[in-house]
Amino acid sequence: MSQPIVEIREVTFAYNGEAVLQDVSLDIRQGDFIAMIGPNGGGKTTLLRLILGLLLPNSGMIRVNGESAQKASACIGYVPQDVHINRRFPITALDVVLMGKLDPRKRWVHKSAANRRDAMASLERLGMATHAEKRIGALSGGQRQRVFIARALVTRPQLLLLDEPTASIDTKGQAEFFKLLKELNQDVTILVVSHDLLVISRYVKSVACVNKRLHY
């Protein structure tokens, strides 16, 4: 069996002394499509942030491609639950995707021809190329989520983390959205946090339930 992209071993994390996660262990392997479910406050988003290296566990170990989560974050694409972009700000879908090319050592994105080609290819992959020049605020909730995923994928990560991606999408659009994720899973490993197991169960390969502890 291949080496896991992510190895989580007996991880515990607490906020202000109150345990949020206890003894969590999980392997995420190439090609996985995992739905993470659980109650509000059960630790799902905290676990994503630990995988990203934004938080450090109180105990236990997390490795991404054999390295610490902080060192390997470049191989992960992330779409948070609340993407903070002012819908009134005159920024296009293409500009949003180009943000994924931002060099963390700089405060601006170099809009080179190569970066624009990569951004357009990412939008094309998500079926959003024809909306490239539209303002982000003019798009529907489902279209915006596709743009945010295109931004996360523009650097060609191995793993895509999505936190409640259908929160702003109507019921009709959710099935279409998860069908899209299933198609993307042919090339990228996916871990998605969701409350709607009934809809997502048709598309994912496995389910992890998180409520302080993880059941997989």
Side-chain angles (χ1 to χ4, degrees):
M1 189 175 291
S2 62
Q3 180 78 8
I5 298 174
V6 178
E7 299 173 87
I8 303 172
R9 295 289 181 272
E10 299 179 352
V11 163
T12 295
F13 184 84
Y15 283 115
N16 300 320
E18 182 176 349
V20 178
L21 295 169
Q22 295 179 335
D23 299 321
V24 170
S25 295
L26 176 68
D27 283 345
I28 303 175
R29 298 183 180 276
Q30 186 69 40
D32 279 348
F33 186 178
I34 303 172
M36 189 186 298
I37 64 170
N40 289 333
K44 303 183 299 297
T45 297
T46 297
L47 185 55
L48 292 189
R49 291 174 178 169
L50 286 163
I51 295 171
L52 287 162
L54 301 176
L55 299 173
L56 295 174
N58 298 124
S59 63
M61 178 272 289
I62 298 178
R63 291 285 182 269
V64 179
N65 281 339
E67 298 184 305
S68 69
Q70 292 84 0
K71 290 182 179 179
S73 60
C75 72
I76 301 176
Y78 176 48
V79 181
Q81 184 172 357
D82 297 309
V83 180
H84 299 292
I85 291 182
N86 188 338
R87 297 180 190 177
R88 296 182 180 180
F89 191 74
I91 186 172
T92 67
L94 179 60
D95 290 329
V96 171
V97 178
L98 281 168
M99 289 179 181
K101 290 285 191 177
L102 179 65
D103 187 330
R105 296 166 297 180
K106 301 176 182 178
R107 294 186 177 183
W108 52 277
V109 182
H110 181 48
K111 295 184 180 181
S112 65
N115 280 349
R116 288 182 65 88
R117 282 195 300 271
D118 287 347
M120 284 300 299
S122 194
L123 284 168
E124 180 71 38
R125 186 179 183 187
L126 274 295
M128 290 297 294
T130 57
H131 300 278
E133 299 302 331
K134 291 184 180 179
R135 291 189 179 188
I136 193 70
L139 303 178
S140 69
Q143 289 172 332
R144 282 195 298 272
Q145 282 298 78
R146 287 173 180 249
V147 172
F148 298 144
I149 293 174
R151 180 180 67 176
L153 293 178
V154 73
T155 55
R156 300 182 180 88
Q158 289 179 266
L159 173 65
L160 178 63
L161 303 180
L162 300 147
D163 194 355
E164 296 285 358
T166 58
S168 61
I169 302 175
D170 60 33
T171 303
K172 181 180 178 181
Q174 289 183 17
E176 181 181 348
F177 182 83
F178 285 125
K179 183 178 179 182
L180 169 66
L181 292 185
K182 186 175 181 179
E183 293 171 0
L184 292 176
N185 182 233
Q186 296 176 26
D187 302 310
V188 64
T189 302
I190 298 175
L191 175 62
V192 55
V193 171
S194 177
H195 277 107
D196 199 339
L197 181 60
L198 182 62
V199 175
I200 200 172
S201 60
R202 298 174 53 194
Y203 304 97
V204 300
K205 296 176 180 177
S206 54
V207 176
C209 181
V210 179
N211 187 11
K212 289 190 178 180
R213 298 181 183 275
L214 184 143
H215 306 277
Y216 185 56

